[in-house]
Amino acid sequence: MNKFKIFSVALLASVTVSQAQDLNQAKKAIDAEQFENAKSILKSIINTKPSGRASFLLGNVYLTQNIADSAKIYFQKGLSAGEGAKLNYIGLGQLELDNGNIAAAQTNFALASKDVKKKDVEEFVYIGKAYMAANKPDYKSALAILSRAKINNPQDAQVLLELGNAFYGDKNQNEAYVAYRGAFQADPTLIRAKMQLGVLLKGAKSYDEAIKAFNEVIAVNPNYGPVYRELAETYYNIGRNKPSKSVESMKSAINFYDKYMSLTDYSITSRMRHADFLVLVGDYKALEIEANKMKQLDNVNPRILRYLGYAAYENGNLDLAKTSLESFISNPANKIIAKDYITLGLVKIKKGTSADGLSVDPIAFKEGLAIIKKGIELLPIAAEELNEVGKKFFTQKLFKEAASIFELSSSNKDSRNYLDDNVYYGLSLYYDNNRKDVKADPIALQKADAAFANVIAASPGYQEAYLYRARTNRLLENDDVMVKSYQDYIDKTTEKGAEEVAKPAVKTKFIEAYNNIAVIYSKTDKVKAKEYLNKTLAIDPANQYALDALKSLK
């Protein structure tokens, strides 16, 4: 062999070894969610020597970042790029899944796994991941393909990790735990498997245990970025579910997300994920700063208008909020979410509200409400966000507007504000129809009655709901429901003990109940009517109504 040929073979071997090392680095960067670093490594590999595997990994990174066009380019290039070329059929298959073309996706997956050796599982692992990463995840199909891979190689850590993810997505916590534990035992360097054990606890709302598990991951590798994102989300959930810890927990959530960002990258894609998290925790001052930084990085990215609009609304810049959100929503290429419509609708209403907050332009309110309804049609649970808005109108005694807001969320039993919204919906309708010089609207009062009935069904011990249901039916002249509701109020309150009954406000309400029940009985049962009037006098011997009514019954 001549020297030139020896040199060429040695150089080729050197390039191959170097490429394999770089691929491993890229995989580690992807796992650590350092996507820009991974893209840089993979592009460098491809520029040195076309690599099907590198093209596939790079395409997957673009898919993770929701940049499908770039992903498709690299998958197609990778098909003719030698080693690992067939993997790119999997990437193209996921694109077909995202487009709803299941048969075409399966054809691509079949091409990728054709002639795979019995002990090889890589293709099956990536097909399983594709099913789970699709716009509409298919965990059953992922489980089927990954179970097949496990039969081929039962101790493969990556197979077990992805099986865990598939079981978790399929809501099978026990099997997910077994798979994650097995993955970490098979490969103690696979830190994500250990982290996922904490994710299981977070999903089960065992937040203290989840934090403990994530801290164990940090003890193994303090520079593993994704664990700080999981901690951020855990503290966010604590703040959302435990109001007494909300401020403290949200602050911790933001700090951990900042740590996550510092260990990953500050690309436009990562900044958008950060912006989404800031929206979740309600830090709109920080969101405004982040949105302006994104604008400097990529002034043409339309999603930045969403964040600018949200931040501007919350920070009081209504004109900027209006122009930003209208521009974003009007672009048919943008994927509009419920919050976009809801925020724009609230902007319209706010712009129509007087400076003192005591009046609202009816045309502006109607226009804003119509836009809000579009958002709720997209995602009914998004009506949860309207609770504070409705309460503000209620506090300002704008009962008609408050009722219109609470009507949108009070029917959704899945809402965390379901009980609260029904209480305020009923009260808003009642007070709006119990004003001087206002003719009561029976349809509105029937809705109020239904709202109070919902409250009673959800929380039978909440005695005020019985009282207001009685008052509502008094306006409706539904005597039977009124009498029963007043009596239920008396009974439920009495059950709470003498201390509750002795409260001056409760005594006043008891007198109201006794006197109104007596009015109805006076038409049919004078003995019963006298009984209730005497109950009033037992509380207030000088009650003029009861004294006069007793005289008239003699």
Side-chain angles (χ1 to χ4, degrees), residues 398-408 424-425 428-429 432:
L398 295 169
F399 299 122
K400 190 179 293 294
E401 290 79 6
S404 295
I405 294 293
F406 285 118
E407 184 175 19
L408 298 177
Y424 276 98
Y425 183 40
S428 299
L429 291 167
D432 189 47

Side-chain angles (χ1 to χ4, degrees), residues 11 76 91 121 245 345 353 450 505:
L11 180 62
Q76 288 175 333
V121 295
K245 293 186 175 182
T353 304

Side-chain angles (χ1 to χ4, degrees), residues 11-42:
L11 180 62
L12 181 62
S14 174
V15 168
T16 301
V17 171
S18 175
Q19 193 175 80
Q21 290 172 340
D22 289 343
L23 278 170
N24 284 333
Q25 285 299 112
K27 287 179 181 179
K28 287 180 181 178
I30 291 169
D31 178 63
E33 298 176 19
Q34 297 170 349
F35 298 120
E36 293 306 309
N37 182 28
K39 281 158 66 174
S40 177
I41 295 170
L42 292 166

Side-chain angles (χ1 to χ4, degrees), residues 500-517:
E500 180 72 15
V501 174
K503 292 177 180 177
V506 171
K507 287 182 178 181
T508 301
K509 292 169 184 174
F510 270 35
I511 290 171
E512 174 193 334
Y514 291 144
N515 285 346
N516 276 286
I517 293 172

Side-chain angles (χ1 to χ4, degrees), residues 227-409:
V227 72
Y228 296 100
R229 173 176 45 75
E230 295 295 344
L231 274 167
E233 292 175 4
T234 303
Y235 277 100
Y236 162 73
N237 286 328
I238 292 172
R240 191 171 183 268
N241 290 286
K242 297 180 180 178
S244 62
K245 293 186 175 182
S246 180
V247 174
E248 174 190 349
S249 297
M250 291 303 181
K251 186 177 179 181
S252 294
I254 292 166
N255 289 339
F256 279 119
Y257 207 97
D258 287 343
K259 178 73 171 177
Y260 165 71
M261 289 288 289
S262 72
L263 290 169
T264 52
D265 58 55
Y266 288 93
S267 66
I268 190 72
T269 306
S270 294
R271 285 186 181 279
M272 283 183 177
R273 286 185 68 179
H274 186 212
D276 288 334
F277 189 77
L278 291 172
V279 172
L280 270 182
V281 298
D283 190 345
Y284 291 99
K285 294 292 184 186
L287 179 65
E288 185 174 3
I289 294 169
E290 188 69 292
N292 282 306
K293 285 180 179 175
M294 286 191 285
K295 193 175 181 182
Q296 292 170 8
L297 282 172
D298 187 352
N299 193 36
V300 299
N301 194 307
R303 226 169 101 188
I304 295 168
L305 291 169
R306 167 186 286 161
Y307 303 123
L308 284 171
Y310 291 175
Y313 167 68
E314 297 289 347
N315 296 332
N317 190 342
L318 297 179
D319 290 331
L320 177 60
K322 180 176 178 291
T323 55
S324 297
L325 288 169
E326 284 181 338
S327 296
F328 182 74
I329 289 171
S330 64
N331 186 341
N334 292 334
K335 185 178 180 181
I336 311 304
I337 61 174
K339 190 174 177 67
D340 300 332
Y341 283 122
I342 290 172
T343 307
L344 179 58
L346 292 176
V347 169
K348 299 269 188 181
I349 291 172
K350 186 72 173 175
K351 281 180 70 67
T353 304
S354 63
D356 60 7
L358 297 177
S359 64
V360 184
D361 176 65
I363 295 174
F365 186 84
K366 185 178 179 181
E367 183 183 357
L369 196 68
I371 297 171
I372 290 169
K373 286 179 180 177
K374 286 185 179 181
I376 293 169
E377 285 170 8
L378 280 180
L379 184 67
I381 199 68
E384 284 184 345
E385 298 181 29
L386 299 174
N387 181 267
E388 291 301 321
V389 177
K391 283 182 179 177
K392 193 165 185 179
F393 281 125
F394 186 87
T395 302
Q396 299 287 48
K397 297 186 178 180
L398 295 169
F399 299 122
K400 190 179 293 294
E401 290 79 6
S404 295
I405 294 293
F406 285 118
E407 184 175 19
L408 298 177
S409 57

Side-chain angles (χ1 to χ4, degrees), residues 56 60 63 75 87 89-98 105 109 122-139 141-142 145-146 162:
F56 170 67
N60 266 346
L63 273 184
F75 291 144
L87 292 171
Y89 284 117
I90 300 171
L92 292 171
Q94 186 180 329
L95 288 171
E96 295 291 359
L97 287 178
D98 290 342
F109 294 154
E122 183 181 32
E123 289 81 0
F124 298 138
V125 167
Y126 282 121
I127 292 170
K129 290 176 73 172
Y131 275 119
M132 291 186 281
N135 289 339
K136 293 182 179 179
D138 182 353
Y139 296 107
S141 294
I145 196 78
L146 290 165
E162 298 308 331

Side-chain angles (χ1 to χ4, degrees), residues 48-232:
T48 302
K49 181 188 176 186
S51 164
R53 191 178 302 277
S55 291
F56 170 67
L57 292 174
L58 183 54
N60 266 346
V61 173
Y62 278 114
L63 273 184
T64 301
Q65 296 181 322
N66 295 311
I67 309 174
D69 290 345
S70 296
K72 187 174 183 179
I73 289 169
Y74 281 101
F75 291 144
Q76 288 175 333
K77 283 184 178 179
L79 287 174
S80 58
E83 194 270 335
K86 287 202 304 182
L87 292 171
N88 290 278
Y89 284 117
I90 300 171
L92 292 171
Q94 186 180 329
L95 288 171
E96 295 291 359
L97 287 178
D98 290 342
N99 292 325
N101 301 325
I102 296 173
Q106 290 173 342
T107 298
N108 278 294
F109 294 154
L111 289 170
S113 57
K114 185 181 179 182
D115 300 325
V116 168
K117 294 177 183 177
K118 187 175 180 181
K119 287 290 184 180
D120 290 345
V121 295
E122 183 181 32
E123 289 81 0
F124 298 138
V125 167
Y126 282 121
I127 292 170
K129 290 176 73 172
Y131 275 119
M132 291 186 281
N135 289 339
K136 293 182 179 179
D138 182 353
Y139 296 107
K140 297 291 187 189
S141 294
L143 281 169
I145 196 78
L146 290 165
S147 296
R148 180 179 166 188
K150 187 183 177 186
I151 292 170
N152 290 354
N153 197 338
Q155 294 303 312
D156 187 280
Q158 288 294 333
V159 171
L160 295 172
L161 171 63
E162 298 308 331
L163 260 177
N165 290 335
F167 279 123
Y168 183 57
D170 201 43
K171 296 180 169 48
N172 189 333
Q173 291 251 356
N174 292 335
E175 291 296 336
Y177 175 82
V178 171
Y180 288 141
R181 184 184 60 186
F184 190 65
Q185 288 173 343
D187 182 3
T189 68
L190 190 57
I191 199 74
R192 183 168 288 269
K194 186 172 179 62
M195 183 184 79
Q196 288 301 112
L197 293 170
V199 172
L200 287 177
L201 293 165
K202 182 187 74 172
K205 298 184 179 180
S206 300
Y207 299 127
D208 291 340
E209 292 302 311
I211 290 169
K212 191 183 297 183
F214 294 138
N215 283 331
E216 289 175 3
V217 174
I218 291 170
V220 175
N221 184 354
N223 295 316
Y224 189 64
V227 72
Y228 296 100
R229 173 176 45 75
E230 295 295 344
L231 274 167

